[in-house]
Amino acid sequence: MACYAALLHQPPASPSPCTSGRAGSCRVRPPPLHRRRAPPLSTRARISPRCSYAAAGGSAGAGAEEQPAAALRRVLETPGAHQAPACYDALSARLVERAGFRACFTSGFSISAARLGLPDVGLISYGEMIDQGRLITEAVSIPVIGDADNGYGNCMNVKRTVKGFINAGFAGIILEDQVSPKACGHTQGRKVVSREEAIMHIKAAVDARKESGSDIVIVARTDSRQALSLDEALWRARAFADAGADVLFIDALASREEMMAFCAVSPGVPKMANMLEGGGKTPILSPLELEEIGYKIIAYPLSLIGVTMRAMEDALVAIKGGRIPPPSSLPSFEEIKDTLGFNRYYEEEKRYVASPAQSSFGSGNYDYTSGASGAGDTKLRTDKPQEPIIDILPQLYDPGSAGGRGPSSGMWSRTLRLKITGRDGVQKIDARIPAGFLEGMTKVIPGLAGTNIMERLRNAPMDSDNPQNGQILLDFEDGMGDRIQVFIA
């Protein structure tokens, strides 16, 4: 995982003799990033689903049917040096897209901090990075470049890592040449594997891409500048390009001159710059300066995790002091909901409003009430369709049986109609229920708890010639805003 959050890109399309009159800045622009023929849809790797309502309102990123890698290559082929902040979870990725960036990285440094609360020293695993990455790619429509550390092992591990990142929906993958356990590129104690092993890792990544039918962008990173020397780093960058890497990245270059020397290597391959905020080894330059030097993609690895940490610390100080964070540092609840996609979710949800609930006990034409006093005398009535009223409970009580006589025996033979309408006007329930289930009904429906429906039913007329069908026993709104009505059916 990188203390950087790198990305890849490619230079402009046509060679231009000189981009600046400044000494040392005259260079030949490399040709466009080589575009491989996209494999047929049937052989392409699975792409993680994007959350449509959450991603709405983002920048112009991947098209509806465009594969992530193709979207990234399209971005990299456009003129200029492209900024790509590093995210560490789904929310930070969504904010990057919302801000208008056309691509982003995942930062291993930041993911280790946010997910584990631990330093970037090789403690986070392949599985944890894949899991976090999948949540990130599903949250946005822009292409995401994933930080895959050193591939988590030998060449076979590298191949598995590349295939895993493809299946997680990544558009690009960054692979470095550090030994295990690896460390942030701008910290002490970095060591790199041999030249031969580093090159074979890149070749294994290229093979995994071919085997997957994918076109994922491979960003090859070397940490040998600090571990060994600048010359070694430049040699490895050339070798990685020859092995099939799409983008080159030397971490922790120490001066503008070193950055210019790097961009002169393999001019046909895009270069990535890592602007480690807050005191890294590499000079912090503007996008225009980096473009003039020869960079194509610019990573900002710590901005989001850094400001998040500081903002949370300030908020906790305010809360501990008996206050809340000031309005200038705290978005309104409506702004938070808008960022997370609540309103778009509600709009989309309306497309799937279902008709009133139907029961497995009846289709709407059944009446389980009995006009006789004997057991088994329940009658199926089909002469009066009752749509959308449905019968949800059969009569389980025999009002004519011995022991069924008493002050309330007449009530058990009656049928009630229960109607519940949501506060949004959508009818939730419209059903016939035998009166014998009144007591149980008050336990199932919280809004009826404590209501003396029995007493109301006792006082209702029992004359068979004047059954008072439709008489309202109850009509009120419960605590959730639903309207609950009980009628004599």
Side-chain angles (χ1 to χ4, degrees), residues 145-195:
I145 299 172
D147 182 355
D149 297 330
N150 55 9
Y152 308 101
N154 62 16
C155 288
M156 298 306 293
N157 292 102
V158 169
K159 292 185 70 173
R160 177 174 184 251
T161 297
V162 171
K163 293 177 181 179
F165 272 56
I166 291 170
N167 288 331
F170 283 104
I173 182 171
I174 303 170
L175 292 164
E176 61 196 55
D177 59 359
Q178 286 196 51
V179 300
S180 295
K182 57 87 61 190
C184 168
H186 291 251
T187 58
Q188 62 184 10
R190 286 171 317 288
K191 297 179 181 179
V192 294
V193 299
S194 67
R195 287 180 172 184

Side-chain angles (χ1 to χ4, degrees), residues 127-352:
E128 290 167 317
M129 292 295 284
I130 284 286
D131 181 57
Q132 195 80 349
R134 182 174 289 107
L135 296 176
I136 289 170
T137 62
E138 289 179 357
V140 296
S141 59
I142 59 174
V144 182
I145 299 172
D147 182 355
D149 297 330
N150 55 9
Y152 308 101
N154 62 16
C155 288
M156 298 306 293
N157 292 102
V158 169
K159 292 185 70 173
R160 177 174 184 251
T161 297
V162 171
K163 293 177 181 179
F165 272 56
I166 291 170
N167 288 331
F170 283 104
I173 182 171
I174 303 170
L175 292 164
E176 61 196 55
D177 59 359
Q178 286 196 51
V179 300
S180 295
K182 57 87 61 190
C184 168
H186 291 251
T187 58
Q188 62 184 10
R190 286 171 317 288
K191 297 179 181 179
V192 294
V193 299
S194 67
R195 287 180 172 184
E196 294 75 16
E197 185 175 354
I199 294 170
M200 291 309 296
H201 282 189
I202 300 303
K203 289 184 176 180
V206 172
D207 288 344
R209 174 173 61 192
K210 292 178 181 177
E211 293 168 9
S212 299
S214 168
D215 200 24
I216 191 171
V217 175
I218 296 174
V219 182
R221 161 183 161 173
T222 178
D223 287 78
S224 55
R225 167 62 188 92
Q226 296 298 322
L228 298 172
S229 67
L230 176 62
D231 287 342
E232 178 66 17
L234 296 176
W235 189 95
R236 292 190 181 214
R238 293 189 191 93
F240 292 163
D242 293 341
D246 299 297
V247 178
L248 302 177
F249 171 31
I250 299 179
D251 200 22
L253 291 171
S255 67
R256 181 189 291 262
E257 289 70 29
E258 290 187 3
M259 297 166 78
M260 294 176 65
F262 167 49
C263 288
V265 169
S266 300
V269 183
K271 311 300 188 301
M272 172 187 145
N274 184 34
M275 297 289 97
L276 188 85
E277 310 90 321
K281 297 182 180 297
T282 303
I284 301 296
L285 303 179
S286 70
L288 180 59
E289 290 175 306
L290 291 169
E291 181 185 6
E292 289 178 346
I293 289 174
Y295 284 101
K296 194 61 181 174
I297 189 77
I298 310 165
Y300 298 87
L302 300 184
S303 290
L304 297 188
I305 191 69
V307 298
T308 299
M309 291 170 65
R310 178 57 55 85
M312 287 193 290
E313 289 172 343
D314 291 345
L316 292 170
V317 168
I319 293 171
K320 192 172 184 180
R323 299 171 286 109
I324 62 172
S328 61
S329 63
L330 183 68
S332 68
F333 185 49
E334 287 302 317
E335 290 173 322
I336 293 174
K337 290 194 298 180
D338 183 57
T339 297
L340 296 177
F342 273 85
N343 295 329
R344 291 186 294 275
Y345 173 90
Y346 294 144
E347 287 301 313
E348 184 174 344
E349 185 184 33
K350 292 178 181 178
R351 294 163 49 193
Y352 306 103

Side-chain angles (χ1 to χ4, degrees), residues 21-46:
R22 188 182 294 187
S25 63
C26 183
R27 62 184 177 84
V28 175
R29 288 187 180 273
L33 182 64
H34 176 64
R35 187 182 277 276
R36 295 175 179 80
R37 182 182 298 276
L41 285 173
S42 60
T43 63
R44 291 182 187 174
R46 180 184 65 80

Side-chain angles (χ1 to χ4, degrees), residues 6 9 19 47 93 140 152 230 242 273 287 299 321 346 357-358 361 408 421 484:
H9 193 76
T19 58
I47 300 303
V140 296
Y152 308 101
L230 176 62
D242 293 341
Y346 294 144
Q358 299 296 314
F361 289 106
S408 301
T421 306
I484 298 178

Side-chain angles (χ1 to χ4, degrees), residues 326-469:
S328 61
S329 63
L330 183 68
S332 68
F333 185 49
E334 287 302 317
E335 290 173 322
I336 293 174
K337 290 194 298 180
D338 183 57
T339 297
L340 296 177
F342 273 85
N343 295 329
R344 291 186 294 275
Y345 173 90
Y346 294 144
E347 287 301 313
E348 184 174 344
E349 185 184 33
K350 292 178 181 178
R351 294 163 49 193
Y352 306 103
V353 174
S355 58
Q358 299 296 314
S359 168
S360 60
F361 289 106
S363 64
N365 292 327
Y366 294 93
D367 187 348
Y368 289 103
T369 60
S370 174
S373 59
D377 222 5
T378 300
K379 181 181 179 183
L380 176 62
R381 297 179 182 175
T382 58
D383 55 335
K384 292 184 179 180
Q386 299 294 325
E387 295 290 348
I389 304 174
I390 59 173
D391 296 304
I392 65 172
L393 295 173
Q395 180 173 329
L396 301 181
Y397 182 82
D398 178 6
S401 64
R405 302 295 178 184
S408 301
S409 62
M411 290 189 297
W412 300 113
S413 65
R414 314 198 70 175
T415 301
L416 299 182
R417 177 184 174 190
L418 172 65
K419 185 176 181 181
I420 300 179
T421 306
R423 59 182 177 180
D424 55 0
V426 176
Q427 185 172 291
K428 296 183 176 180
I429 295 177
D430 194 347
R432 292 176 178 275
I433 297 180
F437 284 85
L438 282 175
E439 183 178 355
M441 188 170 68
T442 60
K443 295 178 181 179
V444 173
I445 303 174
L448 295 178
T451 303
N452 195 345
I453 304 178
M454 287 292 207
E455 185 62 31
R456 292 172 182 265
L457 188 57
R458 247 185 226 108
N459 296 331
M462 293 293 296
D463 183 356
S464 60
D465 295 329
N466 182 26
Q468 297 296 312
N469 286 355

